[in-house]
Amino acid sequence: MDVMPKWADVVLVPLISLIIAALLSALLILAIGESPVAALKLMIEGTLLRSSGWGYMLYYTTNFIFTGLAVSVAFHAALFNIGGEGQAMMGGLGVALVCLFIPWPHWSFAIIGASLGAAVFGMIWAGLPAYLQAKRGSHIVITTIMFNFIAAGVLNFFLVGALKPKGSMDPATANFPASTHLPTFEDMASLMGFEKMFRAAPANVSFFLALVACVLVWFLIWRTPLGYEIRAMGKSEPAARYAGIGSVKIIMVAMMISGALSGMMAINTTQGESERLILNFTEGAGFIGIAVALMGRSHPLGVLLAALLFGFLYQGGAELALWTKIPRELIVVIQALVILFTGALSLMVRGPLERLFLSLRRRG
Amino acid sequence: MDFLTLLQVLDSSLRLATPLLLACLAGLFSERAGIFDIGLEGKMLAAAFLSAAIAATTGSVWLGLLAGIGAALLLSAIHGLASITLRGDQIISGVAINFLAAGLTVVISQDWFGQGGRTPPLLSGGRFEPLSLPGAVPAKEISQAGPFMQLYSELFSGHSLLVYVALLMVPLTWFVLYKTRFGLRLRAVGENPAAVDTAGISVVGLRYAAVGICGVLCGIAGAYMATALQAGFVKDMSAGRGFIALAALIFAKWRPWYALGACLLFGFFFAVDNRFQNILLPAWAMSGVLLALGCGLFAYVRNKTLLDRIVLGGLGLGLAIVATLITLSNLNAGLGSMIKIPVVFIQSLPYVLTVVVLAGFVGKAIPPRSGGVAYVKEK
């Protein structure tokens, strides 16, 4: 029997973890001589009270939805995919190749092609560690970390070599042709008659792609036989094997879906924002996916909410860095605290809560 | 390449291998006791920052070293609390510690020094200076000295104290792990904690001790980076060294002497990468090696399952295609022409080698059996 009601487990535990992380961050802001209340106000003003703030927030959110879903799918199979960063880099390579070398008539075709390119490249980059885990027993955490570094090397190789246009000094590809450019929120808003909305904000149509991915992942995990097998394998590998579920297949499939999702993050940043492939375009989003998945309890709805929260933190953090002497890296600290309290120290939150509910039940 | 150049490369290998070696031995203690630690990177970074900050403000490198060890120990305590006492996920805890260090070092250094996340450059007294061994010739006169004198003066002499400390840590680690009661228990707790518990020895105590040793060594590694290898802290200065140390640990199969070898090898890659920007190889050799690897993979998977054939065969095919491309693009210039090995290839070698070792194609790397699993005492 569960000690805690389900709602407490799903809502209360992440919420309390978040509050602890927020309090510790507030202490840190106090320690460097700024006011936490003023900082929060600034973050809200720069993010939620301006349409361009929303445009930036949703741009970050799109990245975090993809990487958060990627980590979640692997978590369901009890696999820890820490290689989202590398898979996203390879995804970017896929997007660049598709956009540069195929003449697309319209962005709507290009986004489908780019999705496929990103997904396939991400899949390959997650598939190799998955194979090594499934067939050779190499620890997937270590191999995916190594693959992050190797991906950075591969990306670097292409951007200073084969894909760099002649005469250019930047380690980046040529600009993608105009027919592949994705409509931004600004374009869409002006199409609907709101001329001044989302000015210069990078959020683009791939946000909706991320929402579709949420629904698809939910359907896959909870409404298909494959999803059932993935979850069974994640709960207990011996039980799953006894039920005739092959662990090799599940490890491969779960990791490849995870890699595909990570890779698709690159559509937003590469095709949507920079419109060419640049170095470091992932900006650590692959790692934030871990925090997002932990906070969202590996459920697509939770991932969406957590991604919104981190999108807010990222845009708000940029505002703070602009107007106060709080550096952007404060967000990295908050992210670390969220991972610590929702992931590693969850018993610290869960333990007292469980005791509270037990005593409530005894009394009642 | 003359003898002196070779010596200089080896000398720089040793200096670059030192932080790897210290972090690798740190990980060795922790993982041999059954606590996975991917937070080596974060601990080194935190130690590098605090040691540089304290050394810069007090002017004493020894206080800096102590502060660095303190910073790493604090993060170790968090890792221990999360993974030993609260039985949380050790990998997630390690990830969190890496981010915590990456964020906090910049936030605090910006607040203390306001120099964009770096500490003021360290003056003499704030750094570990190179030690000149007795009889060594100074750098200016080294080209006139005989080969043995060059070897002695360039490679063995002229390092900072911490390099010698790191090298001494290898036999010490070996001795502690294999020749003392504490070491036996520490290894046992990583393999079978229940047996250790049955013998009436505290599993929790042993694991905390291991995590503590890990913190001290990471602290020295970080302090070395900021006060000996460089003169001050720069944002993200560990630059993945913690992960390379982890790779070296696996490459060394969790053994101290092998760890020395692995770290020196990876340090050598760094040194080669620093010293030579252009490494040339004849085109025929490069495509030949790739083609041979590809064919080897094909031969290996001939009688394996479909999945093996797809993955490894695909890899072999990829290598063969790259070999063909190299051959085709160099046909005009002739196959004897020299082509440049990409710099990133040398930089990626430690990671590629680790994956190959993990895959078990070159000797199998078997981690401690209870690694990563929290111990729950029977009631």
Side-chain angles (χ1 to χ4, degrees), chain B residues 79-125:
Chain B
H79 190 53
L81 180 73
S83 51
I84 304 169
T85 307
L86 292 172
R87 302 192 295 273
D89 190 309
Q90 299 172 4
I91 287 162
I92 293 176
S93 163
V95 171
I97 282 170
N98 286 338
F99 285 129
L100 201 58
L104 274 181
T105 49
V106 179
V107 172
I108 297 177
S109 68
Q110 181 63 24
D111 183 44
W112 285 359
F113 304 106
Q115 298 187 2
R118 47 168 75 226
T119 59
L122 296 174
L123 309 169
S124 68

Side-chain angles (χ1 to χ4, degrees), chain A residues 28 31-33 75 80 82 127-128 131-132 134-139 141-143 145-147 149-150 152-154 156-157 248 252 287-288 290 294 325 327 329-330 332-333 335-337 339-340 343-345 347-348, chain B residues 36 38 78 81-82 85-89 91-93 95-97 99-100 102-104 106-108 110-111 235 240 243 246-247 250 300 305 307-308 311-312 315 342 344 347-348 351-352 354-355 358-361 364:
Chain A
L28 186 63
I32 58 179
F75 268 157
F80 193 172
I82 204 167
L128 279 168
Y131 168 81
L132 292 173
K135 298 288 284 193
R136 323 244 4 149
S138 340
H139 202 303
V141 171
I142 307 290
T143 42
I145 291 176
M146 298 300 137
F147 268 67
F149 286 102
I150 301 174
V154 171
N156 203 331
F157 173 73
V248 171
M252 289 300 295
F287 294 119
I288 298 160
I290 299 166
L294 283 170
K325 57 186 174 75
E329 278 74 10
L330 179 74
V332 181
V333 178
Q335 176 191 337
L337 292 172
I339 295 179
L340 201 59
L345 294 175
L347 203 68
M348 203 159 105
Chain B
F36 278 163
I38 63 173
I78 296 178
L81 180 73
T85 307
L86 292 172
R87 302 192 295 273
D89 190 309
I91 287 162
I92 293 176
S93 163
V95 171
I97 282 170
F99 285 129
L100 201 58
L104 274 181
V106 179
V107 172
I108 297 177
Q110 181 63 24
D111 183 44
K235 170 183 169 184
F243 293 111
L246 208 60
I250 296 160
Y300 176 77
T305 60
L307 184 65
D308 290 308
V311 177
L312 295 180
L315 206 60
V344 289
Q347 288 167 346
S348 303
Y351 312 111
V352 175
T354 306
V355 171
L358 271 172
F361 292 116
K364 190 114 181 91

Side-chain angles (χ1 to χ4, degrees), chain A residues 84-356:
Chain A
E85 194 76 1
Q87 290 144 21
M89 284 180 199
M90 295 310 276
L93 206 54
V95 170
L97 292 178
V98 165
C99 288
L100 284 173
F101 294 110
I102 301 177
W104 296 100
H106 189 253
W107 66 264
S108 53
F109 295 101
I111 196 172
I112 297 172
S115 304
L116 277 177
V120 167
F121 272 65
M123 234 181 218
I124 292 175
W125 213 246
L128 279 168
Y131 168 81
L132 292 173
Q133 165 85 58
K135 298 288 284 193
R136 323 244 4 149
S138 340
H139 202 303
I140 198 139
V141 171
I142 307 290
T143 42
T144 46
I145 291 176
M146 298 300 137
F147 268 67
N148 281 341
F149 286 102
I150 301 174
V154 171
L155 189 67
N156 203 331
F157 173 73
F158 279 106
L159 290 186
V160 299
L163 288 178
K164 192 174 75 171
K166 277 206 172 62
S168 150
M169 294 303 284
D170 277 0
T173 65
N175 287 332
F176 297 162
S179 60
T180 63
H181 293 181
L182 297 180
T184 60
F185 276 25
E186 191 184 357
D187 299 338
M188 287 186 277
S190 52
L191 208 65
M192 284 184 273
F194 303 102
E195 294 287 336
K196 286 189 177 136
M197 293 280 277
F198 299 112
R199 185 162 287 173
N204 56 68
V205 74
S206 53
F207 174 66
F208 300 106
L209 200 66
L211 294 183
V212 172
C214 278
V215 177
L216 287 181
V217 166
W218 172 81
F219 187 80
L220 170 84
I221 297 289
W222 278 282
R223 288 293 179 272
T224 63
L226 179 65
Y228 174 77
E229 290 180 359
I230 289 177
R231 282 182 295 135
M233 160 88 184
K235 289 270 188 281
S236 161
E237 196 192 331
R241 208 181 316 126
Y242 190 68
I245 299 168
S247 68
V248 171
K249 176 189 145 194
I250 297 301
I251 291 174
M252 289 300 295
V253 171
M255 275 303 285
M256 281 165 84
I257 294 172
S258 175
L261 286 164
S262 290
M264 284 172 73
M265 184 210 108
I267 302 168
N268 184 37
T269 52
T270 303
Q271 195 187 1
E273 217 272 304
S274 58
E275 291 167 353
R276 60 183 187 150
L277 185 62
I278 51 177
L279 276 181
N280 300 330
F281 70 91
T282 49
E283 288 179 336
F287 294 119
I288 298 160
I290 299 166
V292 169
L294 283 170
M295 177 111 209
R297 313 299 308 268
S298 300
H299 190 287
L301 186 64
V303 165
L304 175 62
L305 293 175
L308 279 169
L309 175 76
F310 273 92
F312 166 75
L313 286 176
Y314 255 65
Q315 168 55 13
E319 290 286 317
L320 285 184
L322 201 61
W323 301 112
T324 68
K325 57 186 174 75
I326 304 170
R328 263 200 101 136
E329 278 74 10
L330 179 74
I331 305 308
V332 181
V333 178
I334 298 180
Q335 176 191 337
L337 292 172
V338 167
I339 295 179
L340 201 59
F341 286 105
T342 51
L345 294 175
S346 65
L347 203 68
M348 203 159 105
V349 178
R350 197 179 294 263
L353 260 184
E354 278 180 352
R355 276 196 291 280
L356 178 75

